[in-house]
Amino acid sequence: MPAHKNQLVFTIKDKCKVCYTCVRECPVKAIKIVNGQAEVIDKRCIGCGNCVKVCIQDAKVFLNATEQVYELLQSGQKVIAIIAPSFPAEFDDIKDYKVLVSMVRALGFDHVSEVSFGADLVAQKYAKILTTPSAEGFISSDCPAITLYIEHYSPELVPYLAPIASPMVAMTRVLHKKYGYDAKVVFIGPCIAKKAESAEVDEVLTFRELREMFAKSNISADNMEPTDFDPPHSGKGAIFAISRGLLQTTNVSENIYEGNVIVADGRVDFREAIKEFENGTIRSNNLELLCCEGCIMGPGTSPLGKRYGRRLSVSNYVKEKLKSIDYDQWHKDMEEYKDIDLTQYFASNDRRIPDPNWDEINDVLHKLGKFNEKDHLNCGACGYDSCNEHAIAIIKGLAEEEMCLPYSIEKLHKYIKDLAVSNEKLASAQLALKQSEKLAHMGQLSAGIAHELNNPLGIITMYSNILKDECKTDDPMLQDLELIVEQTDRCKKIVSGLLNFARKNQLNYAEIDIQKLFERSVQSVICPNNVNINLNSHLMNKMAMLDSDQLIQVVTNLFKNAIEAMPSGGDLNVDLKDSEDEIIITISDTGSGIAAENMEKIFTPFFTTKGIGKGTGLGLPIIYGIIKMHKGKVDVTSNNLPDKGQTGTTFKITLPRYKTE
Ligand code: ADP
Ligand code: MG
C-alpha cells in the first residue's frame, strides 16, 4: 500500500520539477522540500488543493475515490448521489442539466439530488444568528478547508465557528431521514477538502473524478433521456456557489447583511481576514470565508476554467430554476425537514509549530549570506514571502537552504571561482612537472660531462702544480703556470657545481641550529650599505637534520642573487617558519624581479642575464640540486613590472626537518 493511500493530496515525485510554486501557493506551508523534492505533509494539509491547481507538471494529485464508489454501486445497497450547486460551472458542455442527472443515474445511483436544498436549510440557521444581536461575530463553517484551517492554525477562533453543518452534511441528514440510515451518500462537487470533512458522507467525488467515471463507463450526453433531480428540490440555495457566500442566500434584509458580513475568498484574503478577526479589528463582524475564489474554481473542477464564464453558467441555471420553482412544494419540504439537527461541532486541534527564536533565525540567515536588511531581497523565489519566513521554515524542517536563489547563485559562482583556481593550480603544477623533467635530463647530461671532465682536470691541475713548483721565482713561465692553475681551479668549481646540480654528491647530515646558521650567514654576507637585511625567525623548534655546508651554499647563493638584483639598494627579508616536520625559509628582495619569460629558465645550468664573465648561471641550479637532495622543494614568485606594484623576487624553500629516505 503506498504511503499516501489515505493522504488527501500527494506528489508524484518523478513529475515534480521543484519550481516551488506549490510552496508559494500553500496557505499553511504544508509542503516540505526534502532532497530537492516537494512533499505534502498530510498532518498540516487542509486539502484546499491550491497546489493541485497551480502545478503545471501535474505532479500534485489528490485522493481518488472512483474505485470505492464503483464498489458501493455494485454492492446492492441504496446509493444516493448529491450534487454540489457549482455543477453548472463544470458541466457547461452539457446544455440540459437533466441530461447530466440521467448520466449520473446511468452510473448506477438509485437517486440523484441537489445539495442546494441543504443550503436552503442551513441558510435559515444563519439568518437566525445574523438577526440575533450579539457583541461578537461568527465565522461561517461551510468551507471545510477554512474550518480545518481554524482548527489547526487559529484554534483560539474555534468557538467563533458557527456551529452549523455544511449544506453537504445537511443534505445527507435530509436524505438519511428520507431514505433511511442505511442509504449510502456520495457527494459530487468541486472540492478536495470535502473528502475529509465528514464521516456521515460515505464517499466524496470531485467533478474531475465524475468525468473519469463517465469515460470509464462509456456514458455520454448523446441519446440520454433527460430526468430531473429527485426531491426535495432547492430554492435560492442553488445560488450559493456564486453568491458572496452562503450568508447571502439567507432571507435577511440587505441592510443587515451588508453591515455585518465580511466576505473573503482566496488563499491570501481569507488568511488576512482571519488575522484581523484574531487581533480584534473586525471581531464584531461575521466572516464568510472561502478558501478558493468561489467553489466554482475549486481544485476538483476541470483545469483552465474561466471564472466569469462559470459564474454565468450557474446564474443562468438558477434563473431558469427559479422561473419554474414550485414554491408551495418548497415550503412544504422546508417544513418537513425543519427539525433536522443541523448542528456541527468543531474542536481545536493545534498543529502550529512554535516559531524559533531570533538567534536561531539569524544563524540561518547568516548561512544564507544575509547579514543585514539590504541582503533580504525577499524575492519569493523560494516560495516564501520573505527571507525571514524561509529561514523559519528551514528551522522547522520544512525547507532547504538551496531553495534560496541568490544563495544558490552565489554558491555556484563560488564553485566556478574555486574551479578556476584549481585549474590554475593544475596548470602551474603541470608546468613545474615539465620543468623538473627538463632539469632531470639536464642533470643527467651535466653529470656525464662533469664526470668525464673531472679526471683530465685533475691531471691538468696536478701537472701544472708540479711544473709551477719546479719553476724558479724569476722564471717567466711562472705567471703562465699560475694562470693555468687558477683557470683549472675555476673549471673544477664549475664541474663540482654541475655535480651538485646533478645531485650526485653526498649529503653530510647533522643536527644543526637553523637560526644560528642564518644569523651567521647574514653577518658574513658582503652587503652594500644601501641594502637592509632583516632576519625574522618564528621557529618553534630551531633544530633540524641538514647538511649545513650545503645549506650555507644555498643561502649564500640566494643572498648574492638578491643583492645583485638591487643595485640601487632595497630590502632583503629572511623569514624562518616551521611546522613539526618542516622548515620553511622565505627569502625575498625588493629588486628588479624576474621577467615572466625567464621564470622557467632560471634553474637551467648556465642561464644568466648578467652578461658573459659576470654570471655563471650555476647559482640557482646548484640550489635546486641541494634542495632536491634534501627532499625539499623550492618555489619562486616574482614581479618585474612596477605597474603591478613593488617589484622583487621571493624564494620559498621547504625542507623536511628530519632525514627522509
Ligand atoms: P647567475 O646569478 O650567475 O646569473 P643564477 O643561477 O644564480 O645565475 O641565476 C640565474 C638568473 O636568475 C640570474 O641571471 C637572474 O636573471 C635570475 N635571478 C636569480 N635570482 C634573482 C633575484 N633575486 N632577482 C632577480 N633575478 C634573479
Ligand atoms: Mg647567482
Side-chain angles (χ1 to χ4, degrees), residues 229-246:
F229 284 113
D230 292 318
H233 295 290
S234 69
K236 212 178 159 190
I239 206 163
F240 101 83
I242 57 161
S243 64
R244 289 175 53 206
L246 178 62

Side-chain angles (χ1 to χ4, degrees), residues 504-522:
K504 290 286 177 193
N505 263 352
Q506 289 292 316
L507 288 180
N508 292 318
Y509 275 104
E511 193 174 34
I512 56 161
D513 181 327
I514 304 168
Q515 192 168 325
K516 260 196 197 137
L517 182 143
F518 271 86
E519 279 164 3
R520 253 185 278 130
S521 301
V522 168

Side-chain angles (χ1 to χ4, degrees), residues 95 191 320 615:
K95 293 299 161 230
C191 184
E320 281 307 307

Side-chain angles (χ1 to χ4, degrees), residues 192-221:
I192 295 174
K194 284 277 179 209
K195 288 176 182 277
E197 182 187 324
S198 169
E200 292 176 55
V201 181
D202 296 283
E203 291 296 343
V204 170
L205 287 176
T206 58
F207 289 141
R208 286 202 213 183
E209 288 163 276
L210 180 62
R211 283 192 187 273
E212 201 184 306
M213 289 180 76
F214 285 155
K216 227 186 210 169
S217 304
N218 278 325
I219 295 171
S220 80

Side-chain angles (χ1 to χ4, degrees), residues 360-379:
E360 287 174 277
I361 299 171
N362 275 328
D363 275 353
V364 173
L365 286 169
H366 290 174
K367 245 197 230 166
L368 295 175
K370 299 175 199 309
F371 296 94
N372 52 44
E373 274 305 306
K374 264 209 280 180
D375 298 328
H376 287 226
L377 301 183
N378 297 330
C379 66

Side-chain angles (χ1 to χ4, degrees), residues 557-558 560-565 589 591-594 598 601-604 607-610 614-621 623 638 648-649 651:
N557 276 342
L558 287 174
K560 198 165 162 266
N561 280 346
I563 290 165
E564 282 169 3
D589 61 62
S592 56
I594 303 168
N598 289 340
K601 298 181 198 157
I602 55 171
F603 290 104
T604 312
F607 173 79
T608 177
T609 56
K610 291 172 186 166
K614 281 191 178 158
T616 58
L618 279 174
L620 289 179
I623 289 171
S638 187
T649 306
F651 284 85

